[in-house]
Amino acid sequence: MAGPVRVRRLTDQEGQKLQQIVRRGSTSSVRYRRAMMLLASAGGNRVPVIAQLVQAGEDTVRDVIHRFNEIGLACLDPRWAGGRPRLLSTDDEDFVVQTATTRPTKLGQPFTRWSLRKLVTYLHRVHGRVIRIGREALRCLLARRGVTFQRTKTWKESPDPERDAKLDRIEEILDRFPDRVFAFDEFGPLGIRPAAGTGWAPSGHPERHPATYHRTHGVRYFHGCYSVGDDKLWGVNRRRKGAGNTLAALRTIRSARPDGAPVYVILDNLPAHKGQEIRRWARKHRVELCFTPTYASWANPIEAHFGPLRQFTITNSHHPNHTVQTRALHAYVRWRNANARHRDVLAAERRERARIRSEKGIRWAGRARMAA
């Protein structure tokens, strides 16, 4: 019998890249939705749940997962054919791409980066080759080959010596005990300020929110708990992160399974999550704390559900105070738990996603998975 369709185990770079796409948004809705599918699958969600989460067909989700397992992050970009035949040969295109991705100083040029004009001029002067290409054709070629003008980034890998062991343990409990697995994390900081978004409005008359310069309300953190087996989300807003608030959340998780059998909680390595009092309480009440590896918060299943929480309650909002904001968060959580699988509600959610699409800073993550 074939196993469930799921993504292979993510590398640190893949997990961080996917998390970056869904947190900051993307100019391509296709790229954004595919990244959400992969992270949700990496977080242990099955194909039907992912299809409902991103408002796509189950076959589409399976195709994206299989494609990722074959070619990696290249599956995020659709390959649509069309237009007139290319005038440059494949070898010429490879040479152009190689030149564009090479530092100009290595080619004897006195600058550290290419502009389109400088690159076109250099290609016209290459000895032994005839590269006749204009700026617009060069821009389209680079975009087609996945080369874009980007800011220089730093990178990091997880230095956790127990990275593989921690990910293996998370995978094991999700496979063997899904009804007894929970996830916990803080979502925030949540400030009181107008949040930009998109919506239907008369042409030339968009909805406007006031600009704020003096913010005296402080911030809050949504301490969220997620039941993997029940697909239920709940939580409470707190003024700050702390061991006491973490312990209170763990008690609500333990009370969700009052039979005394072991439960498993996936959470990150925040110091407020791993104090001695919390560890003693967990041992006493048969709660196993499964920590994600360092720099791998994407391995927490709850991360995949913080994105919609931000989209439906923070984006395109203007809450006057934290009380109203907290009520909105709890109202969405109740709505989400009660209507997550209803067809009419899914259609309404699809329309809402079309209305709210330009939010940046979305938190969304997943966990690593071995290939099926």
Side-chain angles (χ1 to χ4, degrees), residues 12 33 55 125 129 173 194 237 249 267 275 317 361:
D12 291 332
R33 284 163 59 85
Q55 307 308 309
R125 295 176 180 176
R129 276 184 179 268
I173 61 176
N237 273 14
L267 62 172
S317 69

Side-chain angles (χ1 to χ4, degrees), residues 173-237:
I173 61 176
L174 286 170
D175 289 336
R176 296 181 57 190
F177 317 108
D179 292 337
R180 311 198 68 81
V181 176
F182 298 83
F184 168 75
D185 199 7
E186 294 91 355
F187 170 60
L190 302 174
I192 297 301
R193 62 181 181 86
T198 55
W200 296 106
S203 179
H205 298 278
E207 182 181 357
R208 297 183 181 274
H209 293 309
T212 59
Y213 300 97
H214 304 286
R215 301 168 185 169
T216 60
H217 295 80
V219 299
R220 298 291 187 273
Y221 295 89
F222 179 76
H223 288 58
C225 304
Y226 175 65
S227 173
V228 175
D230 298 336
D231 190 21
K232 297 293 184 182
L233 180 69
W234 72 93
V236 62
N237 273 14

Side-chain angles (χ1 to χ4, degrees), residues 105-146:
T105 52
K106 293 184 178 180
L107 300 176
Q109 303 301 306
F111 32 84
T112 59
R113 67 180 185 182
W114 295 111
S115 67
L116 286 178
R117 287 187 176 88
K118 291 185 177 70
L119 185 55
V120 167
T121 302
Y122 176 81
L123 291 172
H124 287 175
R125 295 176 180 176
V126 174
H127 298 290
R129 276 184 179 268
V130 179
I131 305 294
R132 299 189 181 277
I133 188 171
R135 282 184 294 161
E136 181 62 18
L138 175 60
R139 185 192 65 79
C140 293
L141 170 60
L142 295 178
R144 187 169 65 249
R145 299 293 290 269

